[in-house]
Amino acid sequence: MKAALLIPAAGMGLRLGWDGPKALVDLGGAPMLAVTLSRFAAADLTPPAVVTVPPGQAADFDRAVSALSPFPCAFVEGGAERQDSVLAGLESLPDFTELVVIHDAARPLVSPDTVRAVMDAARAHGAATVALPVTDTILQADGAECLAETPDRSRLWACQTPQAFRLDIILDAHRRARREGWRVTDDATLARRAGHSVRLVRGTQENLKVTTPFDLRLALRLRREERQ
Ligand code: C5P
């Protein structure tokens, strides 16, 4: 199956306190996006990787990242929300694409084993996401910051990326979402809502999402450890 890589990277670094695209923040001497792309060097992917970028920033991304990427990248303008960016990226993929791997630029420490596992699961099952069983008890609040409900922890998983899909499944789900006004923060949820079964593939804690300054400190430390 011909597989493509789609990296949503059009978000800004506001919660990081960085006034530029989050994907270009420095992670130990290279932009975070370059580190993220390097994790896919050994995967069976057809170039170019599609990277969604903030409007007007394609040339800046090209300058900052292309020379460090293990394969060529095509920079596509993203939209207002992640979901809009992913749909723009999906619609730019060549027709021969059969499988697509979607991975947030903001998760630079994903392991090649995790990438392989989610791609294998999607080839076998049509749709798969990496996720991690939660260890905290999760509380659902009402609108006034009071406890409304405590879901059964034994069935809760925290969603991560990569997520991998047959292209027809995820394109159909995104187009339905646009028609019907569904708004979500990941793609597996759209596939499920469109009626597809989604396999859960166990991730790792290292595959954290860099959102806050604390996350960035942690990611820098983990990366330093990896290189020792
Ligand atoms: O904001 P958050 O970290 O949850 O975003 C997840 C990923 O989606 C990031 O890699 C970010 O760059 C990307 N994104 C995007 N387009 C947006 C917002 C976020 O591609 N409009």
Side-chain angles (χ1 to χ4, degrees), residues 4-12 21-24 32-34 36-37 40 49-54 61 73-90 92-93 100-108 160-165 170 174 184-188 209-210:
L5 177 62
L6 168 52
I7 304 276
M12 301 303 282
K22 182 164 74 173
L24 297 186
M32 179 157 66
L33 172 60
T36 306
L37 287 164
F40 292 84
V50 170
V51 178
T52 70
V53 302
F61 269 66
C73 294
F75 299 100
V76 169
E77 289 199 356
E81 306 282 344
R82 181 187 180 284
Q83 187 175 328
D84 308 308
S85 297
V86 171
L87 180 55
L90 289 173
S92 80
L93 291 173
V100 59
V101 183
I102 304 175
H103 182 66
D104 289 343
R107 292 186 188 271
Q160 298 186 344
T161 65
Q163 304 191 335
F165 309 91
I170 197 62
H174 265 273
V184 299
T185 49
D186 79 297
D187 308 292
K209 187 168 71 151
V210 175

Side-chain angles (χ1 to χ4, degrees), residues 141-227:
D142 63 13
E145 295 200 7
C146 286
L147 176 58
E149 230 182 289
T150 307
D152 173 7
R153 187 175 71 183
S154 68
R155 294 180 58 189
L156 293 180
W157 295 57
C159 185
Q160 298 186 344
T161 65
Q163 304 191 335
F165 309 91
R166 277 202 347 245
L167 182 62
D168 58 326
I169 289 178
I170 197 62
L171 252 181
D172 165 66
H174 265 273
R175 286 177 177 155
R176 263 184 82 178
R178 183 169 52 191
R179 278 197 310 276
E180 307 201 10
W182 303 338
R183 300 304 285 175
V184 299
T185 49
D186 79 297
D187 308 292
T189 299
L190 288 185
R192 181 72 199 112
R193 207 172 282 182
H196 299 283
S197 166
V198 179
R199 176 76 74 192
L200 300 183
V201 171
R202 203 172 280 255
T204 64
Q205 283 184 291
E206 284 81 359
N207 186 24
L208 61 98
K209 187 168 71 151
V210 175
T211 306
T212 64
F214 175 79
D215 301 330
L216 186 60
R217 269 171 48 212
L218 192 54
L220 275 164
R221 284 197 188 186
L222 291 169
R223 184 149 191 257
R224 226 174 282 138
E225 266 176 35
E226 267 182 358
R227 294 159 113 192

